[in-house]
Structure formats: C-alpha cells, structure tokens
Amino acid sequence: MTRKLIYNAEIVDLGLLIDHTLIISDLHIGYEQALNREGIMVPRFQYKKILERLNEIIKSFDIERIVVNGDIKHEFGRITRQEWDEALDFIIFLNNNFDEVILLKGNHDNFTKFIADKTDLGVYETYSIGDFIIIHGDKIPDDLMTKDEKTIIIGHEHPCIGIRNGERFEKIKCYLKGSYKAKNLIIMPSFNFVSEGSDILHEKSLSPFLKKRSIDEFEVYGVENFEVLYFGRIKDIINVKDRFY
Amino acid sequence: MIERQEKAYKDKEIYQILHPWVKKWFKGKFETFSEAQRYAIMDIHIGENVLVSSPTGSGKTLTAFLSIISELTHLAEKDELEDKVYCLYISPLKALDNDIEKNLEEPLSEIEKIAGKKLGIRKAVRTGDTSQYQRSKMLKTPPHILITTPETLSILLCAPKFRDKLKDIKYLIVDEIHSLADNKRGVHMSLTLERLQNLTGGFTRIGLSATVHPLETIASFLVGYDNGQVRNCKVVDVNYLKQLDMKVLCPVEDIVMSDPEEVNTALYNLIHGLVNEHKTTLIFTNTRSGTESVVFNLKKKFPDFYNHENIMAHHSSLSRDLRLEAENKLKDGELKVVVSSTSLELGIDIGFIDLVVLVSSPKSVSRALQRIGRSGHKLHDKSKGRIIVVERDDLVECSLILKNAVEGKIDEIHIPQNCLDVLSQQIYGMSIEGKWDIEHAYNVITNSYNYRNLTHNDFISVLSYLAGDYTSLEDRYVYAKIWVDYKEKMFGKRGKLARMLYSTNIGTIPDRSAARVKCNGEVIGRIEEDFMEKLRKGDTFVLGGKIYRFNYARGMTVNVTPSSGPPTIPSWFSEQLPLSFDLAMSIQNFRAIMDFKFKGNKKKDEIIDYIHEYLYVDYNAANSIYSYFREQYMYAQIPSARNLLIEFYKGYGGRKFVIFHTLFGRRVNDALSRAVSFIIAEKFKRDVMISVSDNGFYLSSDGKVGGFDVFTELTPDNIEEILIKAIDKTETLAARFRHCAGRSLMILRRYKGNEKSVSRQQIKGKILLKFVKDLDDNFSILREARREVIEDYMDVNNAKKVLAMIADGRMNVNKIDTTIPSPFAFNLIAQSYLDVLKYEERIEFIRRMHQAIIKEIGDELPEE
C-alpha cells in the first residue's frame, strides 16, 4: 500500500501518524445511550469496534504515543454506570498499549477530566509535535497564530462526503487538507463507527476554523477501512457530482 | 364457514323482530326496507356475523344499526340498560366517526319521542382528539354505542378501568373495511379484534364494504379463525342493484395521431362540456398535483365560468380547514365542480353528485367503481361515470376497465400476511393487558386472518426481540419491553412506562416527511421526500399550479426559482398508482385476441366491430385501438398473455436497449426487473440502467446486456431469493426498515416527552439498520422490512405466477430486433422513470465513484 501523506502526516485509517505518535479524534463513546434517550433503541455496539480497529493499527505500526483529540465521551449529563465503565476501560486500554497517553479537551468532554484524574492523566487544550499543533477545533485560542507550528490539526467537524449514484447513496469519512490564515490546516474524521459524520458537500460547517469562509479549495482524502482515496478539491467534486446523479 | 346470504326477508318478517317503537319510527321514515337491509338485518338480529357490500345511499348505517338500536330499546324500556358498552363501531376516519354520531342522533331522539319517555341510549365518539375531561366522563357513564378508530380501540384494551366496560360487547361494526384490509392498519386491527375476542369471549361482527373481490376473503378478514377454522359469516352482496352508466371518452377523434397539445385542449373542452350538462361534477385525478392542475387549467381556460366560489380542490396535502370547506360547500350544493385525488374516495357524506369524471386510468376496476359510485346518491339513482383517456395505452387500459366493470369482474385485493412489526406492537399491547401464557397468546394471534399461517418460530422470534434477547444481559433493562419466562411459558410487560409508551407510539402509518420548498426566501409549499430525492439541478416541476426550477436541497429544505415551459419532472411518479395485476392480465388477454384476429387476416371493419362489441367502446375509440394494434402487428409482434416479447433495439451511439413487454403492472415489473438486473450485474460486472412502468420494463447498457438469457434463468423458485439480495443495498429497504422499526417500537417516535422529526429518525434509522445487519441477518424486524418490500411494495407473488406460466408453457418468450422502438415500446420508453442500479459492495461502490470523479476532475494525487 502506498503511503498517503497530508503535510507529511501519514494517514493510517482514521488516525494520523506523526513520527511514532498516533492521533485520533471524536470517539463519542456512549452515543448509543444518547440515542436510547431519544427513543432509538440501538444497543451498545461501537465500543467493541473501536477497540478492534485500534488493535489493528497498533499491530501494523510502531506507535509509542497516542493523542486523543477530544470527545472521548458523547455526552456528559446523566451518565449511567456502564457508560462510566466503558470510558474508564478505554483509558486503561490506552495506558496498557501506549507508552504515553495525551488527552485533549473536546466540547463534549467536561467529564474526561474526572476520568483522567482517576488515572493520573492530564487533560490539555493543545498538544504540539514538531511542526504540528493539535487542537479539538470547537474554538480558536487567542494566541494560536502567534505560535511557531506551521500546521494545525483539528477534529470536531466529523467530515465526510456524500456520493449518490442512482438510488445508491453512501457517505465516506474523509480528511480535509486546507489552510487557516497563514497556517496549514488538517481536519480529521471521527474515530467512531456509529455514523460517518456530516457531509461537507452539503451541510454547514461546525468548527470556527471553517465557518464563514469558503472551503472550496480544500482537498479531500476519503478513507474506507485503511484504504485512502484522494478525491481532489471540494469545488471540483461539487461540480462533477451532478453528472453522476 | 363463509356463505352468501341468498335469502331476502319480507317487510313483515323484519318488522316482527323490531321493537314496536323502532318499527313505528321506521315506518314513519321509510316506505320499505332497502335490499341490503332485507338481507342483513335478520342475521344481525340472531347474532350471526355479516359482511355487507353495498353501494353508497343504500342505507348502510341503518342496515348495521337497526336491529342493534331495537335491541337497546328493549333493554331501555325494561330499564335494564347497564353502564357498559354494547356496540362498538370502528371506521378508518375520524370524520366518518363524527358523521355516524350525527346520523345516529336522529333515530335515537325520535324513537325516544315515540316512546314518550327518556330511554337514555347513549352514544359517543372516542378518538385521539377526545379530551381528558370527556374520557373520564365516559368512564363514569359509558356510552352504549362507542364510535372509534382501530388504533384507539387497541389503546382502550390496555386501559385498566375502561377495559372492564368493554367486557360484554355484543356487536362490533367495521365500516369501510375494504380500505383497511389491504394495508397494515387492517393487519393491526385484525389483531386488536382478536384481543377483544379474548377479553369478551365473542361478539357479532358486522362489516361494511365497498365493491371488492373476493368478498369471501374480506369476510374471513373480518371474522377471523377459531382453532384453524374460519368463523361463520354471511356475505351480503347487493352491488348489482345500483345501475352503472359508465363510458370511456376520447377527447379527440383519433388519439393515436393527435399531438399532446391538441389532446390537452380537447380534454378541457370535454370536461367543461360535461360539467355544463350536470348539476354537480366530481372529478378524480390520480395524484394531488394532477388535481391542482385540473383546477388551475379549468379556471385559466374558462375564466368567466370557474372561480373560487364554484370550483375547489380536495386532496390530502391541503389543510384540514380547506378540505372541510370543500366538503361543506359540496353538501350545501354550492359547488359546481370539486376535483380530488384519493381523498374523496372514502365514504364521508358529500351530498348530491350527478357525475363523476375520471381523468386517465384509475389503474384498477375496483377503484373505478369506488369512484364512480360516489355519484347518484339516492339508492335508485344511476351511478354515472365518464373516464377520459389521454393517450393510446390509456385508451386500451380504460376500455378494459369498462369491460370488466360492466361484467362485474373486479381485481383481487392483496392482504398483507404475517407482518412481524405489527405483531411486535400488538404483543407489547397484550403484555400490558396482563400476564399471558405463551401458547394461549399464540392461539389468540393465529385466530387473526392475517396471522393464521404464522409459524411458531416467527412468533417466538418476535417474543425474543421484545424480551431484548439481542442485547447483553446487563443492558437488558433498557431494551427489553417484556419479560419472557420460557420455562413457565409465560410473558408480561416490563417497566412502569409501558402503557404510556404504547399509547403514544401506537399505529402503523409511518410519518412521511415533507420538505419545505423555498422560493426567494419564502416557503411556498411542501413536496414529499421521495420526490425531492429524485430532483436534479435544473429540473422543473409543478407546485400549486406554478412551475419552478430546482436549484438545490439543504437538509429538508428545497430551494427553487420560478420557471416556465413544460415541467421536466412529471410530478406524479412517486405517488402514481400501480396497475392492478388482474386488470393487466385482462389487457394481455385482449392483446392475444387481437393478435389472433390479425393473424387470421380478418377484415378491418370486422375487427373494429369486434372491438366495439367486446370492449363496449364507441367507434372512435375502436378505430384508434385498431390502428394502434395494427401498427404494432405490422412492424413487430403483438406481445400478449401467450407471447412475452423481448425487444432488442439499438439507440443512438450504439447504446443497447432490451425492452421487456411485460404488461403485469409496475409492482410485478419492479420485482422482475430488479431480479434480472441483479443477475446481470453479478455476471457481467456491469452497470445496468433500468426503467420500470406498468406495461413493461427495459434495461440499457453500453455493452452486451444479455437480458434474454438472464430472464430465462428466473424461476418461481429462485426469484424470491434473488430479490432479497437485490434490494439489500437500496434506499427502499432502508426506508421500509425505518417504518418497520417504528411499528415494532425499536424507534419510539414519542419518548419521554420528545417528538422526533422524520429526518432525524431517518438518520438514526440507518444507524439502527447497520447495527441490525451486523447483529443478525435474520432479525425479525429486518425480515419484515424485506417482506414488505418484495410482497407489498413489489409483488413477488404474482411475479412467481408469471414465471410459472412461462415454465409450464402457457406463455412463450420471444425475441425480436428493431431499429426503432415498436409502437408498444414507444410509450413504455417515454413514460417510465429511470434508475441506475448497481449491486456492489460498499467499497467497490466507493472505488468506482472515486475513479469516475477523478476522471472528471482530471487530477492526480499531489506529490508530497
């Protein structure tokens, strides 16, 4: 398999690899319970899948450090015992499999701090490796542009592209490569298996890094079960897409 | 046993069984009994189950109620009326419920007057609209006649106190039963009736139906089974009594040669002429948009004649107020014309109508009769109907409708069987009633007509779903709706919220989502989601009589700009009624006769005379039909009930078309075409474009399609299995699964005070589908969604019949090559809708689309 790089960060399925550091984002453990509370009675199924996928990545690459870029848990209100257990279990899993575990704060994540305290881990706003600065992406720190790192990595957006052909419609998780002011910008897909995310070709952006500006020039890297598919620029996809409808 | 009631009783005999006050009242009101009353009242009196099929205006309400009112009068006179319900009346419509309550007012109060004292026979309507205050009043002093809907009844069965008031029900009346029998509302009701039977130990069942076939099946559906034997029921069929004056009209002399513009102008002139000759005309179109456009065009073409005072539309997308206004104006005789789609088919009282016009084929004989039966309100009036045809296939189709209607051959009704989603909901309801023995519950359920063949395994799989067996033990308290003790063979409800959840989420009609249409920032109307899905940039369509161009959709909002010119999207296709299989077969038989005539070198005049006599159409129509068939015969072959013709034709740029002249109706063709294209896609790894209509389907592709060989691979034994695979990745299955998940309460529309929007349900429904597929490919709700798609949405059973005809040689499959499409193929190509079907794995789909997009963009992976 050829290696796919965005600004020299390697795409490894739903994670990004920089040197020996793996970055994943937006796991949203407990999403099923949130669905339950809305009356959609889907039982827990994704936590097992998250672990399976992570194990696959761990087996194939030499990884020392893991950065979880926010939103481990889906919701913080009304947590059941089992939801707690799952999140705690996940932190223990990370501790057992990596030399170093870095937790970043997400917008769904007031709660991560409690868990992190239990396991003696810190929860940070940002984390830097080399020329990269990693941040969840729900807000922009005031001092961000004064920092030296050239490339910003965010999650939060859960980007995917929706492609229709005849009756068939599929959403594909993707990375976005673009810029924010003078810096490079990478937007990561979510590391969960409940939903693909929000269709950037159709839906409004969530993150202030993308809001109120054109992302037409951003490039799209689709990922499906370890396979990376380069789709070109957003504006081009939108242009040609209609022909396949 | 189900048997026809052949004995009509005399006035004297019927009067003998009526209470003297009731008899006196009746004599003062009517000269004599109607036919339906002569056949039915005696049986109801002695407690026999009866199904009455009779036309509007035959005194149906009294047929059902007269002996019941008499019975209640007896009790009232002796002061023996207790505080409980004696008679339940169920109708599919709240509006009809309200009508019936009004209609009962008169006899009850007048009989009281005759008695000279207060009798105190109470009646009341109870639906979802009934207030809390009225409900508690009903509990204190229950109505003796309770008027309700099927859904409300099943909620009442779970009401701990009110349930007691239903224990001694003597009579049950189901009105408009034909409109419930062919869908899941009816399936739901049949189980509710068995629950009621279990509670009460039995009651007299009375069904009122329009003309449907076979009445014996509707009767079985009404009365259900007892230990595998259908319960007794008498069938009263008095439809032949109402005279039918029905004609097929061609707006132009030769519909084969006329262009659409000419036909259109002539169509409105013809309608206008008919309206002028009659007092009040009811016009039916097949769609809501068709309804809108007839109103719009009549006003536009005859502005001096039509205005908002004398013409109105009536269809289900209109607000309730507008519909009520139309109904009231109609009753008061203020309207000259009312135009409707399906909403005025059902039996609410609409006053005096002396003509019904059907624009284009109603697609089935029973629908034609139902619609035309809305005219001639008094019993001995003729029902007068005119079907106006708009093109040549329409002409042939409507002519056969006429023939079958005149000869009393009505299409067979399709009744869904063994629906596991409805079963889940009802078992939940049963568990709320109390603890059940598993085997006893199974017996109660299989007493329903719809579940008489339910396997024990399927029953247990539903129990197991409800018990949450698919989740881990520690999670079960969230997902289990009932507890099941397999050892003790018992089950019952779980959770304190059960009754509340049940009563707020009950029912079988899925929420349809409608998208808002915005023009210049203003909401101008709504379109259905299926329709929105088909819209592509630049398409134009009609909404509210105006034309708009589609720009884009954002979520459930559609952005459009005003446009002109003919709409590119015929807005009817998503709600178009499918041609009934029986009608299709009679057209095929007619084709075979015509083929025989041409092959026998019969003279032109002779054939035209024959068409005129055989189809009961005028000479203009006979002429048009003759020339249409002759063209097809001379140029190619006539496809028919004996000859399934497959036409190979090469289009522009060498694109190959394989046209299947399978005139079996769209539901059968949907099944056949998807099975064929699935095999092709698997074999040749090629995309096939597929297009389906009532009269056939075609496949097209850049290269070899191999349609003939593949078609002959289909057998009555393998098609179901192939179809199940073929629909697996489709949006149709996903949508139906969501509906089934809603009915089986896996998705709760109303939960803890929240109501979910449809678009949110949809997204979440997909998550659920993904989970369920991963979990167990045989999950009961998933199986039900598949069954619904292939049996109810498509028609796999009749597709099997067709394949059996081919297998045993009754129908031959023949090939023909053409350079331009044959006349019969022409309409098929022009009318059908297109879809590209690809049966591939998700990853293959993504890779293919990726390559296609990259090819268009002409971009390479950038070098890093």
Side-chain angles (χ1 to χ4, degrees), chain A residues 34-55:
Chain A
L35 288 176
N36 290 170
R37 284 191 274 269
E38 287 184 42
I40 317 273
M41 305 316 273
V42 49
R44 288 186 294 164
F45 70 103
Q46 77 142 343
Y47 180 58
K48 216 176 85 195
K49 288 191 170 187
I50 289 175
L51 293 192
E52 278 168 11
R53 188 59 66 91
L54 261 181
N55 273 321

PDB file of all heavy atoms in Angstrom, chain A residues 34-55:
ATOM      1  N   ALA A  34     -27.126   7.855  24.168  1.00  0.00           N
ATOM      2  CA  ALA A  34     -27.764   9.124  23.828  1.00  0.00           C
ATOM      3  C   ALA A  34     -28.920   8.879  22.863  1.00  0.00           C
ATOM      4  O   ALA A  34     -29.974   9.496  22.971  1.00  0.00           O
ATOM      5  CB  ALA A  34     -26.746  10.070  23.216  1.00  0.00           C
ATOM      6  N   LEU A  35     -28.712   7.949  21.929  1.00  0.00           N
ATOM      7  CA  LEU A  35     -29.793   7.584  21.006  1.00  0.00           C
ATOM      8  C   LEU A  35     -30.961   6.985  21.777  1.00  0.00           C
ATOM      9  O   LEU A  35     -32.116   7.304  21.527  1.00  0.00           O
ATOM     10  CB  LEU A  35     -29.300   6.571  19.969  1.00  0.00           C
ATOM     11  CG  LEU A  35     -28.349   7.083  18.889  1.00  0.00           C
ATOM     12  CD1 LEU A  35     -27.894   5.923  18.006  1.00  0.00           C
ATOM     13  CD2 LEU A  35     -29.010   8.143  18.037  1.00  0.00           C
ATOM     14  N   ASN A  36     -30.630   6.117  22.730  1.00  0.00           N
ATOM     15  CA  ASN A  36     -31.670   5.495  23.552  1.00  0.00           C
ATOM     16  C   ASN A  36     -32.545   6.547  24.211  1.00  0.00           C
ATOM     17  O   ASN A  36     -33.756   6.426  24.265  1.00  0.00           O
ATOM     18  CB  ASN A  36     -31.056   4.638  24.668  1.00  0.00           C
ATOM     19  CG  ASN A  36     -30.396   3.379  24.135  1.00  0.00           C
ATOM     20  OD1 ASN A  36     -29.716   2.693  24.853  1.00  0.00           O
ATOM     21  ND2 ASN A  36     -30.591   3.090  22.853  1.00  0.00           N
ATOM     22  N   ARG A  37     -31.872   7.579  24.733  1.00  0.00           N
ATOM     23  CA  ARG A  37     -32.628   8.615  25.432  1.00  0.00           C
ATOM     24  C   ARG A  37     -33.577   9.343  24.475  1.00  0.00           C
ATOM     25  O   ARG A  37     -34.547   9.956  24.885  1.00  0.00           O
ATOM     26  CB  ARG A  37     -31.680   9.606  26.103  1.00  0.00           C
ATOM     27  CG  ARG A  37     -31.067   9.034  27.382  1.00  0.00           C
ATOM     28  CD  ARG A  37     -30.352  10.094  28.197  1.00  0.00           C
ATOM     29  NE  ARG A  37     -28.981  10.276  27.744  1.00  0.00           N
ATOM     30  CZ  ARG A  37     -27.940   9.593  28.239  1.00  0.00           C
ATOM     31  NH1 ARG A  37     -28.128   8.705  29.189  1.00  0.00           N
ATOM     32  NH2 ARG A  37     -26.732   9.808  27.795  1.00  0.00           N
ATOM     33  N   GLU A  38     -33.287   9.247  23.177  1.00  0.00           N
ATOM     34  CA  GLU A  38     -34.189   9.854  22.190  1.00  0.00           C
ATOM     35  C   GLU A  38     -35.217   8.857  21.673  1.00  0.00           C
ATOM     36  O   GLU A  38     -35.981   9.167  20.769  1.00  0.00           O
ATOM     37  CB  GLU A  38     -33.382  10.341  20.980  1.00  0.00           C
ATOM     38  CG  GLU A  38     -32.562  11.560  21.229  1.00  0.00           C
ATOM     39  CD  GLU A  38     -31.885  12.010  19.946  1.00  0.00           C
ATOM     40  OE1 GLU A  38     -32.544  11.977  18.889  1.00  0.00           O
ATOM     41  OE2 GLU A  38     -30.704  12.364  20.002  1.00  0.00           O
ATOM     42  N   GLY A  39     -35.154   7.640  22.192  1.00  0.00           N
ATOM     43  CA  GLY A  39     -36.148   6.664  21.751  1.00  0.00           C
ATOM     44  C   GLY A  39     -35.680   5.747  20.632  1.00  0.00           C
ATOM     45  O   GLY A  39     -36.445   4.948  20.118  1.00  0.00           O
ATOM     46  N   ILE A  40     -34.412   5.871  20.204  1.00  0.00           N
ATOM     47  CA  ILE A  40     -33.885   4.940  19.193  1.00  0.00           C
ATOM     48  C   ILE A  40     -33.185   3.825  19.946  1.00  0.00           C
ATOM     49  O   ILE A  40     -32.111   4.032  20.496  1.00  0.00           O
ATOM     50  CB  ILE A  40     -32.855   5.635  18.270  1.00  0.00           C
ATOM     51  CG1 ILE A  40     -33.333   7.016  17.850  1.00  0.00           C
ATOM     52  CG2 ILE A  40     -32.477   4.721  17.105  1.00  0.00           C
ATOM     53  CD1 ILE A  40     -34.190   7.067  16.653  1.00  0.00           C
ATOM     54  N   MET A  41     -33.819   2.647  19.995  1.00  0.00           N
ATOM     55  CA  MET A  41     -33.335   1.642  20.923  1.00  0.00           C
ATOM     56  C   MET A  41     -32.212   0.786  20.335  1.00  0.00           C
ATOM     57  O   MET A  41     -32.312  -0.438  20.269  1.00  0.00           O
ATOM     58  CB  MET A  41     -34.502   0.786  21.411  1.00  0.00           C
ATOM     59  CG  MET A  41     -35.649   1.595  22.021  1.00  0.00           C
ATOM     60  SD  MET A  41     -35.108   2.914  23.141  1.00  0.00           S
ATOM     61  CE  MET A  41     -35.014   1.999  24.663  1.00  0.00           C
ATOM     62  N   VAL A  42     -31.124   1.418  19.925  1.00  0.00           N
ATOM     63  CA  VAL A  42     -29.990   0.655  19.423  1.00  0.00           C
ATOM     64  C   VAL A  42     -29.044   0.365  20.598  1.00  0.00           C
ATOM     65  O   VAL A  42     -28.666   1.253  21.343  1.00  0.00           O
ATOM     66  CB  VAL A  42     -29.275   1.404  18.259  1.00  0.00           C
ATOM     67  CG1 VAL A  42     -28.982   2.836  18.615  1.00  0.00           C
ATOM     68  CG2 VAL A  42     -28.022   0.696  17.841  1.00  0.00           C
ATOM     69  N   PRO A  43     -28.712  -0.900  20.784  1.00  0.00           N
ATOM     70  CA  PRO A  43     -27.843  -1.265  21.908  1.00  0.00           C
ATOM     71  C   PRO A  43     -26.386  -0.890  21.631  1.00  0.00           C
ATOM     72  O   PRO A  43     -26.032  -0.544  20.511  1.00  0.00           O
ATOM     73  CB  PRO A  43     -27.978  -2.781  21.998  1.00  0.00           C
ATOM     74  CG  PRO A  43     -29.001  -3.173  21.018  1.00  0.00           C
ATOM     75  CD  PRO A  43     -29.140  -2.070  20.034  1.00  0.00           C
ATOM     76  N   ARG A  44     -25.569  -1.012  22.683  1.00  0.00           N
ATOM     77  CA  ARG A  44     -24.145  -0.675  22.524  1.00  0.00           C
ATOM     78  C   ARG A  44     -23.487  -1.626  21.538  1.00  0.00           C
ATOM     79  O   ARG A  44     -23.628  -2.835  21.654  1.00  0.00           O
ATOM     80  CB  ARG A  44     -23.448  -0.815  23.869  1.00  0.00           C
ATOM     81  CG  ARG A  44     -23.820   0.284  24.825  1.00  0.00           C
ATOM     82  CD  ARG A  44     -23.008   0.174  26.061  1.00  0.00           C
ATOM     83  NE  ARG A  44     -23.312  -1.039  26.817  1.00  0.00           N
ATOM     84  CZ  ARG A  44     -22.539  -1.519  27.766  1.00  0.00           C
ATOM     85  NH1 ARG A  44     -21.409  -0.925  28.058  1.00  0.00           N
ATOM     86  NH2 ARG A  44     -22.892  -2.613  28.406  1.00  0.00           N
ATOM     87  N   PHE A  45     -22.798  -1.070  20.581  1.00  0.00           N
ATOM     88  CA  PHE A  45     -22.073  -1.964  19.672  1.00  0.00           C
ATOM     89  C   PHE A  45     -20.765  -1.368  19.200  1.00  0.00           C
ATOM     90  O   PHE A  45     -19.891  -2.067  18.716  1.00  0.00           O
ATOM     91  CB  PHE A  45     -22.952  -2.336  18.470  1.00  0.00           C
ATOM     92  CG  PHE A  45     -23.212  -1.209  17.498  1.00  0.00           C
ATOM     93  CD1 PHE A  45     -22.521  -1.145  16.291  1.00  0.00           C
ATOM     94  CD2 PHE A  45     -24.141  -0.223  17.784  1.00  0.00           C
ATOM     95  CE1 PHE A  45     -22.764  -0.108  15.395  1.00  0.00           C
ATOM     96  CE2 PHE A  45     -24.387   0.807  16.898  1.00  0.00           C
ATOM     97  CZ  PHE A  45     -23.697   0.866  15.702  1.00  0.00           C
ATOM     98  N   GLN A  46     -20.589  -0.050  19.385  1.00  0.00           N
ATOM     99  CA  GLN A  46     -19.431   0.528  18.722  1.00  0.00           C
ATOM    100  C   GLN A  46     -18.143   0.469  19.536  1.00  0.00           C
ATOM    101  O   GLN A  46     -17.061   0.494  18.979  1.00  0.00           O
ATOM    102  CB  GLN A  46     -19.732   1.948  18.267  1.00  0.00           C
ATOM    103  CG  GLN A  46     -19.705   2.967  19.361  1.00  0.00           C
ATOM    104  CD  GLN A  46     -19.095   4.264  18.858  1.00  0.00           C
ATOM    105  OE1 GLN A  46     -18.434   4.277  17.824  1.00  0.00           O
ATOM    106  NE2 GLN A  46     -19.325   5.338  19.587  1.00  0.00           N
ATOM    107  N   TYR A  47     -18.252   0.365  20.869  1.00  0.00           N
ATOM    108  CA  TYR A  47     -17.035   0.353  21.670  1.00  0.00           C
ATOM    109  C   TYR A  47     -16.133  -0.817  21.278  1.00  0.00           C
ATOM    110  O   TYR A  47     -14.933  -0.674  21.113  1.00  0.00           O
ATOM    111  CB  TYR A  47     -17.395   0.296  23.155  1.00  0.00           C
ATOM    112  CG  TYR A  47     -16.186   0.274  24.061  1.00  0.00           C
ATOM    113  CD1 TYR A  47     -15.260   1.312  24.003  1.00  0.00           C
ATOM    114  CD2 TYR A  47     -15.966  -0.776  24.943  1.00  0.00           C
ATOM    115  CE1 TYR A  47     -14.132   1.302  24.812  1.00  0.00           C
ATOM    116  CE2 TYR A  47     -14.848  -0.802  25.755  1.00  0.00           C
ATOM    117  CZ  TYR A  47     -13.932   0.241  25.688  1.00  0.00           C
ATOM    118  OH  TYR A  47     -12.817   0.214  26.481  1.00  0.00           O
ATOM    119  N   LYS A  48     -16.760  -1.958  21.081  1.00  0.00           N
ATOM    120  CA  LYS A  48     -16.022  -3.145  20.666  1.00  0.00           C
ATOM    121  C   LYS A  48     -15.306  -2.898  19.340  1.00  0.00           C
ATOM    122  O   LYS A  48     -14.159  -3.269  19.142  1.00  0.00           O
ATOM    123  CB  LYS A  48     -17.012  -4.316  20.515  1.00  0.00           C
ATOM    124  CG  LYS A  48     -16.466  -5.652  20.937  1.00  0.00           C
ATOM    125  CD  LYS A  48     -17.541  -6.726  20.840  1.00  0.00           C
ATOM    126  CE  LYS A  48     -17.623  -7.286  19.445  1.00  0.00           C
ATOM    127  NZ  LYS A  48     -18.824  -8.067  19.166  1.00  0.00           N
ATOM    128  N   LYS A  49     -16.012  -2.229  18.438  1.00  0.00           N
ATOM    129  CA  LYS A  49     -15.432  -1.954  17.123  1.00  0.00           C
ATOM    130  C   LYS A  49     -14.271  -0.977  17.209  1.00  0.00           C
ATOM    131  O   LYS A  49     -13.287  -1.108  16.482  1.00  0.00           O
ATOM    132  CB  LYS A  49     -16.496  -1.367  16.195  1.00  0.00           C
ATOM    133  CG  LYS A  49     -17.530  -2.360  15.754  1.00  0.00           C
ATOM    134  CD  LYS A  49     -18.349  -1.753  14.637  1.00  0.00           C
ATOM    135  CE  LYS A  49     -19.241  -2.818  14.012  1.00  0.00           C
ATOM    136  NZ  LYS A  49     -19.905  -2.288  12.819  1.00  0.00           N
ATOM    137  N   ILE A  50     -14.379  -0.002  18.116  1.00  0.00           N
ATOM    138  CA  ILE A  50     -13.292   0.968  18.288  1.00  0.00           C
ATOM    139  C   ILE A  50     -12.026   0.235  18.729  1.00  0.00           C
ATOM    140  O   ILE A  50     -10.944   0.447  18.184  1.00  0.00           O
ATOM    141  CB  ILE A  50     -13.687   2.054  19.320  1.00  0.00           C
ATOM    142  CG1 ILE A  50     -14.754   2.977  18.720  1.00  0.00           C
ATOM    143  CG2 ILE A  50     -12.473   2.853  19.767  1.00  0.00           C
ATOM    144  CD1 ILE A  50     -15.295   4.016  19.691  1.00  0.00           C
ATOM    145  N   LEU A  51     -12.205  -0.665  19.712  1.00  0.00           N
ATOM    146  CA  LEU A  51     -11.043  -1.409  20.197  1.00  0.00           C
ATOM    147  C   LEU A  51     -10.450  -2.296  19.109  1.00  0.00           C
ATOM    148  O   LEU A  51      -9.232  -2.371  18.938  1.00  0.00           O
ATOM    149  CB  LEU A  51     -11.415  -2.270  21.412  1.00  0.00           C
ATOM    150  CG  LEU A  51     -11.790  -1.530  22.702  1.00  0.00           C
ATOM    151  CD1 LEU A  51     -11.835  -2.506  23.869  1.00  0.00           C
ATOM    152  CD2 LEU A  51     -10.819  -0.393  23.007  1.00  0.00           C
ATOM    153  N   GLU A  52     -11.301  -2.951  18.355  1.00  0.00           N
ATOM    154  CA  GLU A  52     -10.820  -3.828  17.273  1.00  0.00           C
ATOM    155  C   GLU A  52      -9.986  -3.038  16.268  1.00  0.00           C
ATOM    156  O   GLU A  52      -8.899  -3.449  15.870  1.00  0.00           O
ATOM    157  CB  GLU A  52     -12.008  -4.456  16.536  1.00  0.00           C
ATOM    158  CG  GLU A  52     -12.580  -5.689  17.232  1.00  0.00           C
ATOM    159  CD  GLU A  52     -13.929  -6.113  16.651  1.00  0.00           C
ATOM    160  OE1 GLU A  52     -14.317  -5.575  15.579  1.00  0.00           O
ATOM    161  OE2 GLU A  52     -14.589  -6.965  17.272  1.00  0.00           O
ATOM    162  N   ARG A  53     -10.525  -1.876  15.885  1.00  0.00           N
ATOM    163  CA  ARG A  53      -9.828  -1.068  14.876  1.00  0.00           C
ATOM    164  C   ARG A  53      -8.489  -0.551  15.426  1.00  0.00           C
ATOM    165  O   ARG A  53      -7.470  -0.582  14.732  1.00  0.00           O
ATOM    166  CB  ARG A  53     -10.733   0.084  14.431  1.00  0.00           C
ATOM    167  CG  ARG A  53     -10.209   0.898  13.256  1.00  0.00           C
ATOM    168  CD  ARG A  53      -9.972   0.077  11.998  1.00  0.00           C
ATOM    169  NE  ARG A  53     -11.175  -0.467  11.409  1.00  0.00           N
ATOM    170  CZ  ARG A  53     -11.895   0.165  10.464  1.00  0.00           C
ATOM    171  NH1 ARG A  53     -11.513   1.328  10.015  1.00  0.00           N
ATOM    172  NH2 ARG A  53     -12.969  -0.396   9.972  1.00  0.00           N
ATOM    173  N   LEU A  54      -8.516  -0.108  16.691  1.00  0.00           N
ATOM    174  CA  LEU A  54      -7.272   0.391  17.286  1.00  0.00           C
ATOM    175  C   LEU A  54      -6.228  -0.719  17.364  1.00  0.00           C
ATOM    176  O   LEU A  54      -5.051  -0.501  17.077  1.00  0.00           O
ATOM    177  CB  LEU A  54      -7.550   0.927  18.691  1.00  0.00           C
ATOM    178  CG  LEU A  54      -7.705   2.453  18.824  1.00  0.00           C
ATOM    179  CD1 LEU A  54      -7.953   2.810  20.273  1.00  0.00           C
ATOM    180  CD2 LEU A  54      -6.463   3.184  18.304  1.00  0.00           C
ATOM    181  N   ASN A  55      -6.679  -1.919  17.723  1.00  0.00           N
ATOM    182  CA  ASN A  55      -5.757  -3.052  17.796  1.00  0.00           C
ATOM    183  C   ASN A  55      -5.117  -3.344  16.451  1.00  0.00           C
ATOM    184  O   ASN A  55      -3.940  -3.671  16.364  1.00  0.00           O
ATOM    185  CB  ASN A  55      -6.482  -4.293  18.310  1.00  0.00           C
ATOM    186  CG  ASN A  55      -6.461  -4.347  19.828  1.00  0.00           C
ATOM    187  OD1 ASN A  55      -5.449  -4.010  20.444  1.00  0.00           O
ATOM    188  ND2 ASN A  55      -7.576  -4.734  20.426  1.00  0.00           N
TER     189      ASN A  55
END
